[in-house]
Amino acid sequence: MRILFVHPNYRSGGAEIAGTWPPAWVAYLTGHLRQSGFDEIHFIDAMTDELTDADLAEKMEAIAPDVVGVTAITPSIYRAEDVLKIARDVAPQAVRVLGGVHATFMYKQVLTEAPWIDVIVRGEGEEICTELMLAIEDGRFPADRHKIKGLAFIEGDQIVATQAASTVKDLSKIKPDWSVLEWSKYIYIPLGKRVAIPNLARGCPFTCSFCSQWKFWRDYRVRDPKDVVDEIEDLVENHDVGFFILADEEPTINKKKFVAFCQELIDRGLPKRVKWGINTRVTDIYRDKDLLKFYRKAGLVHVSLGTEAAAQMKLDVFNKETKVAENKEAIRLLREADILVEAQFIVGLDNETPETLEETYKMAWDWQPDLANWSMYTPWPFTPLFQELKDQVEIFDFSKYNFVTPIMKPAQMERGELLDGVMNNYRRFYMKKALFNYPWRGTGFRRRYLLGCLFAFLKAGVGRTFYDLGKAGYWGPQTKNTVDFHFDETRQLAEAQLDDWEASADKAARAKERREAVKAQTIARKRDFKMPNGTEVKACGGGNQQMEDV
């Protein structure tokens, strides 16, 4: 059976300005499928190859697949639907499959607007996809589709979802096949090295209100560090990868496993051959301040910190559980350990003003991270924060939900003014860094890396690809009132499907609420209770102190 995976051609001028990123999803699915005997798997990276729909149709027709599979994040959902529409036309015999975060939670809307999709895989893909492919190969699809957990499909005039499947419990079975990719295409511009995005852990125990990842993965699980380093060693030895970024939401949560991962890299001599970066929380940097130089020894050179917002009020809205003062100290600690640090700011909520944008710039310069990034708040329709703010959301064109387009309109600003304010922050921060910091910031690796980052920014700026500025028609402050984001205003919003979807963090939050409610009731009863003779209630032995909670 011939399986074809396609990565849709979608660009926004965000993360891709730093390089061409390998679609890790196809390696993880392919590896799992090969373990079940599927050996004819093809892959087309329409994004990296910048294929037109006509080019894609020609390649797809030549392969004549039995199955066409696509994944999509929210902003690429329409392009993914287009890929499967092409499959319907040029490979009508193929089963058309869609997966990914957006389709998992918005399957009713997706199947309504793209009824040519045969089946949606909801949730973590490896096990569900393999079971689906076995059913197709055996001729049991679509007859047995009701028996496979984690699917959604159209049946008659109804949209049906089978019971949600379990998450992958045995992570030792996760063995990606990175050979499915053409590695010469995937280059990290700042270092000029091949780049990979392996995965140490899945999920996140925290519940940041703007994030969907903890909801999608449901359980927080960590792979065996030796298995992950085996994977990285393969990437270095067989695919000449010189830089990788761990795909985890926060790989440092499990300190013991992260330290073991670093030690395994050191024991195999890999830090001399490959450098790497992570995203993590300010609180973990505090916790591990005595280990930062050890992490640097293991090859960690770039940390992106979710500082998120300059105003503490915003941090509270995002449920980040961090304090503004901690951000500056975490950045200082990382720089002392010779680890480059990137500060992430989220802007564009309803209460954004020119003054709050200026505040984020001043804080970024005061904190002195090596890099700073301002991302537009993007209201994923399946996140807790969206439920609170949805009455303020006016744009439902998901192709613009990309962190670079201002979906929300602040009460006191126009969207063009918001974009101009963000660009002004970028201009000032990186111009001062370029003139007074990067060229003089030491020698060797750090200096080369920073200048490489500056080159990536300049390249995207000159090409007008940064933040989709060329498409929006932004050429500086003089154009802020004429910017056109080309929103498709015909798009409407449907409700997310979360009824059968429960994350471990959801369960933990409810259990905590129950414990606190019981505790409050117990305290109230103690306070109100009196002995029959009216004397004070005392502990055993006549004392008045109670045992503390443990």
Side-chain angles (χ1 to χ4, degrees):
M1 185 170 80
R2 281 188 299 279
I3 300 170
L4 169 63
F5 289 123
V6 180
H7 194 68
N9 186 6
Y10 175 84
R11 293 176 179 273
S12 66
E16 68 265 22
I17 71 164
T20 45
W21 302 97
W25 66 271
V26 72
Y28 283 90
L29 289 182
T30 298
H32 214 73
L33 287 167
R34 292 207 190 282
Q35 293 178 60
S36 294
F38 294 98
D39 55 9
E40 192 171 354
I41 300 175
H42 302 261
F43 176 57
I44 298 174
D45 189 345
M47 177 179 173
T48 298
D49 294 341
E50 297 194 56
L51 296 181
T52 65
D53 287 353
D55 293 335
L56 177 59
E58 184 178 345
K59 289 179 176 290
M60 194 181 292
E61 189 172 22
I63 294 172
D66 298 297
V67 179
V68 177
V70 189
T71 193
I73 55 176
T74 294
S76 66
I77 186 62
Y78 304 141
R79 296 301 294 138
E81 292 172 0
D82 290 343
V83 168
L84 294 179
K85 192 173 187 179
I86 292 169
R88 179 197 65 182
D89 296 338
V90 303
Q93 77 287 351
V95 177
R96 299 177 287 277
V97 184
L98 175 66
V101 178
H102 187 89
T104 291
F105 295 124
M106 306 297 290
Y107 64 86
K108 287 186 179 179
Q109 182 169 15
V110 171
L111 289 171
T112 299
E113 65 193 13
W116 52 84
I117 296 172
D118 291 315
V119 61
I120 285 175
V121 170
R122 299 178 62 219
E124 211 166 353
E126 287 91 350
E127 294 180 347
I128 305 170
C129 187
T130 298
E131 190 173 353
L132 173 62
M133 295 300 174
L134 287 169
I136 295 171
E137 184 181 47
D138 295 343
R140 295 183 286 107
F141 184 89
D144 281 2
R145 56 188 174 175
H146 284 273
K147 299 178 182 179
I148 302 174
K149 293 181 180 179
L151 301 183
F153 47 83
I154 298 174
E155 186 172 58
D157 59 356
Q158 299 292 317
I159 292 175
V160 178
T162 63
Q163 181 182 341
S166 171
T167 54
V168 177
K169 302 302 183 186
D170 185 359
L171 293 182
S172 67
K173 294 181 179 178
I174 302 296
K175 298 185 182 299
D177 178 7
W178 293 104
S179 67
V180 73
L181 302 175
E182 294 181 43
W183 281 98
S184 60
K185 298 177 180 179
Y186 304 109
I187 304 297
Y188 185 57
I189 293 174
L191 292 177
K193 301 280 189 180
R194 294 185 182 183
V195 60
I197 314 176
N199 153 266
L200 172 64
R202 294 191 171 184
C204 180
F206 299 106
T207 57
C208 294
S209 61
F210 59 87
C211 180
S212 64
Q213 293 299 304
W214 62 273
K215 182 76 75 173
F216 175 78
W217 295 104
R218 291 183 284 171
D219 299 332
Y220 173 65
R221 294 147 289 146
V222 186
R223 298 171 63 195
D224 186 326
K226 290 188 177 182
D227 289 347
V228 182
V229 177
D230 284 345
E231 187 178 321
I232 290 165
E233 194 166 37
D234 169 62
L235 287 165
V236 174
E237 292 280 353
N238 299 315
H239 306 296
D240 198 26
V241 167
F243 185 76
F244 68 86
I245 294 179
L246 287 177
D248 311 28
E249 304 311 306
E250 187 192 349
T252 55
I253 296 173
N254 188 316
K255 180 179 178 179
K256 181 178 179 180
K257 289 288 185 71
F258 188 72
V259 168
F261 170 74
C262 291
Q263 188 62 58
E264 191 70 21
L265 288 169
I266 292 170
D267 291 345
R268 301 194 199 187
L270 286 168
K272 296 178 182 178
R273 305 174 64 187
V274 62
K275 307 301 181 189
W276 50 287
I278 62 170
N279 297 286
T280 194
R281 290 166 62 94
V282 167
T283 49
D284 284 13
I285 299 303
Y286 265 83
R287 182 199 69 193
D288 297 352
K289 59 185 177 181
D290 294 332
L291 287 167
L292 295 179
K293 290 185 178 179
F294 167 72
Y295 295 162
R296 178 63 179 85
K297 181 181 177 182
L300 176 61
V301 297
H302 187 143
V303 169
S304 179
L305 278 181
T307 51
E308 310 304 3
Q312 184 60 46
M313 176 184 64
K314 291 182 183 177
L315 290 178
D316 294 338
V317 168
F318 292 149
N319 198 26
K320 283 296 294 184
E321 302 174 10
T322 60
K323 303 298 180 185
V324 168
E326 295 172 347
N327 296 328
K328 182 175 182 178
E329 179 64 10
I331 290 168
R332 185 189 68 79
L333 290 169
L334 285 165
R335 291 184 58 192
E336 280 188 356
D338 196 30
I339 298 172
L340 290 99
V341 57
E342 177 179 0
Q344 300 277 355
F345 297 96
I346 292 179
V347 297
L349 280 166
D350 178 66
N351 63 344
E352 198 74 70
T353 64
E355 290 74 26
T356 59
L357 282 177
E358 178 67 17
E359 186 181 357
T360 63
Y361 168 73
K362 288 179 178 178
M363 283 197 167
W365 193 253
D366 177 54
W367 297 348
Q368 278 297 300
D370 298 290
L371 303 162
N373 184 41
W374 285 267
S375 297
M376 300 290 184
Y377 167 63
T378 301
W380 308 122
F382 29 81
T383 59
L385 188 56
F386 179 84
Q387 300 305 315
E388 298 176 26
L389 301 178
K390 63 181 178 181
D391 291 341
Q392 302 169 33
V393 182
E394 304 168 330
I395 303 299
F396 303 113
D397 178 355
F398 291 134
S399 68
K400 305 299 183 182
Y401 279 47
N402 49 26
F403 295 115
V404 304
T405 305
I407 300 300
M408 302 288 287
K409 180 193 172 301
Q412 299 182 43
M413 301 179 75
E414 296 298 324
R415 288 185 176 86
E417 292 178 297
L418 174 59
L419 177 65
D420 181 60
V422 169
M423 289 303 109
N424 188 38
N425 284 358
Y426 274 113
R427 281 191 295 266
R428 291 181 292 169
F429 184 87
Y430 284 101
M431 186 175 294
K432 290 172 74 173
K433 285 284 188 181
L435 292 175
F436 307 116
N437 190 294
Y438 291 167
W440 327 111
R441 183 59 63 187
T443 58
F445 177 82
R446 170 177 281 272
R447 184 180 179 187
R448 289 197 308 274
Y449 192 108
L450 290 172
L451 291 175
C453 290
L454 183 62
F455 172 74
F457 270 110
L458 291 173
K459 181 180 178 182
V462 171
R464 312 299 296 162
T465 57
F466 183 59
Y467 266 61
D468 257 355
L469 296 181
K471 293 179 183 177
Y474 177 84
W475 294 90
Q478 71 278 10
T479 61
K480 65 182 178 182
N481 295 321
T482 60
V483 170
D484 185 355
F485 297 106
H486 305 287
F487 294 126
D488 182 350
E489 296 182 3
T490 66
R491 299 284 184 176
Q492 298 297 312
L493 178 69
E495 290 295 321
Q497 286 76 56
L498 300 170
D499 292 345
D500 67 338
W501 205 264
E502 187 174 53
S504 294
D506 290 321
K507 298 176 185 176
R510 279 198 299 277
K512 183 179 179 181
E513 289 176 3
R514 288 194 297 269
R515 288 195 303 271
E516 290 177 349
V518 170
K519 185 176 180 181
Q521 287 178 352
T522 302
I523 292 172
R525 286 170 183 162
K526 286 180 180 178
R527 183 178 61 245
D528 297 338
F529 180 76
K530 297 290 184 181
M531 293 292 286
N533 61 2
T535 60
E536 181 183 357
V537 179
K538 294 194 175 185
C540 182
N544 57 13
Q545 293 185 358
Q546 301 295 318
M547 183 180 294
E548 294 182 356
D549 292 338
V550 293

